[in-house]
Amino acid sequence: MTELTHPLATVPRDELVARAEADPLRPRFHFVSPAGWLNDPNGVSQWNGTYHLFYQYNPEGAFHHRIQWGHATSTDLVTWTDQPVALEPSAGPDAEGCWSGVLVNDGGTPTLVYSGRFDGRELPCVAVGSPDLLSWTKDPGNPVIAAPPVGVDITAYRDHCVWREGAMWRQLVGSGIRGRGGTAFLYESPDLRRWDYIGPLFIGDASHGDPADNDWTGTMWECVDLFRAGQGSLGSAPPDGSPDVLVFSAWDDGDTHHPLYWTGRYAGDTFEPAALHRLDYGGRFFYAPQSFQDESGRRVMFGWMQEGRSDAAMVEAGWSGVMSLPRIVTPADDGSLRFAPVPEIKTLRRDHAGLPGQVLTGASGPLELGLSGTQLDLELDLHLTPGARLRLGVLGSANGRPSGSPNEETVIELCRAADTGNDGTLRLDRTRSSLDPTVDVEDKSGPVPMPEGRVHLRVILDRSAVEIFANGIALTARVYPTLGGDHVTLAADGTARIVALDAWTMAEIHEGTRPLFP
Ligand code: DQQ
């Protein structure tokens, strides 16, 4: 048996894969690590046609410790091939972990910029890859930045966004200034090795709002991601007025709050903010997102769907953490962003079921759709009259059980405001999603524009992973049903017209047993 090296490493390594694979709540068409722990997406990219997804990985068990960079590749963003671990801690500046970072193309040389952890703090490190991106050599000059900016009292300092601007590289490192708020420090370099500190790109205000607010900007910004949403590249004038976007994950004293983004304009050495937005109404369930522009010009984003069950339950399960489906990010007319799963995901659809258009009212009672499944892709075109509320129940267990017995259901709710034309709300009601009293069932919701009451709703369900898109607004979360329910129902208060409903069962993407160390 392998030596156990961490207090939480109670499951022997050689049992982890079997435990993970036996868990009915483990997603089957989202990317998950072979077993053990997964968190942030790293180095997301397309290189000579092949997509690369690196991720924060602990193959020792389902807990965050001595993090490595797992690696998987894909030709279609749907199925993934496990590759050998790309980065592993070694004596020196990343001895305690290879934390999050990015991949850049340095004149044809694949190069990773990541946070090496040593002595309880993180510093920027670099590694170069073989032409197939499968083996990586750490730079002997690591860390390439020896310390955070002097004279600034920081809360933390890690994670990277790196891009080419003219003849120079630019880099942001996520941080926070004590007593003020989160920030991203801007650096410049001719060669990715020698970095000059320029200054904070932009500083948030942690005294604004309350830590309980779902748009509080935190005391530190993790995983900053700056990009142009639309035409043109960072630093150039946008031909179509598209915004620049600064994505960050609001963090405070060890707590992962939620991903947010500022729209605005990056020019010179600063970012002029226009507006702050919630990136995903699921908050911490779509954390540490990272994006890239693929070879066809699409902006593709992945996020970490963290768990809502206890540390002990994760360890027991032998696995933790789900990668979101890749989603396309586009600018909307109102200056904010819209999200949709990449269309390639549709190749997993099987067994189509459709429903003819019909009107649903409070009086008609819940509609039994004759649909069931724990791996589903549901697409609905809806029209809600003012004040109407539509409830789509999934993972329901009531069917076939004696009435009065405990049951579970996860409910996706759309509500159109009674008094205004175009406003509505998307809500995920998890209060009855699990009989397990220890799991997170907090309410998740936020506003959704509903022009004349029209909503395009997409719900992607993969066991414990739920991704919802309502008119391009995302809400991602996790649910932990205990009864194995797979029932789907629709109900309404007021009047809702179902213009179209299509549903598919989704195929699995991982075949056979995956080795812990590919
Ligand atoms: N996870 C990484 C850090 C990052 C955090 C460590 C965000 O680099 O700040 O695994 O989830």
Side-chain angles (χ1 to χ4, degrees), residues 491-510:
D493 294 329
T495 306
R497 189 153 60 87
I498 300 154
V499 181
L501 184 154
D502 293 281
W504 295 264
T505 299
M506 296 295 271
E508 312 203 348
I509 60 164
H510 296 296

Side-chain angles (χ1 to χ4, degrees), residues 39-40 56 64 67 99-100 158-159 222-223 287-288 304:
N39 60 301
D40 315 350
Q56 296 276 284
H64 189 271
I67 293 296
W99 284 21
S100 284
R158 57 176 171 265
D159 311 333
E222 294 193 300
C223 299
Y287 198 76
W304 165 39

Side-chain angles (χ1 to χ4, degrees), residues 34 55 57 59 68 70-72 81-85 514-518:
Y55 57 93
Y57 182 35
Q68 321 185 355
H71 184 193
T81 304
D82 289 314
Q83 302 293 356
V85 161
R514 298 162 66 198
L516 205 48
F517 296 93

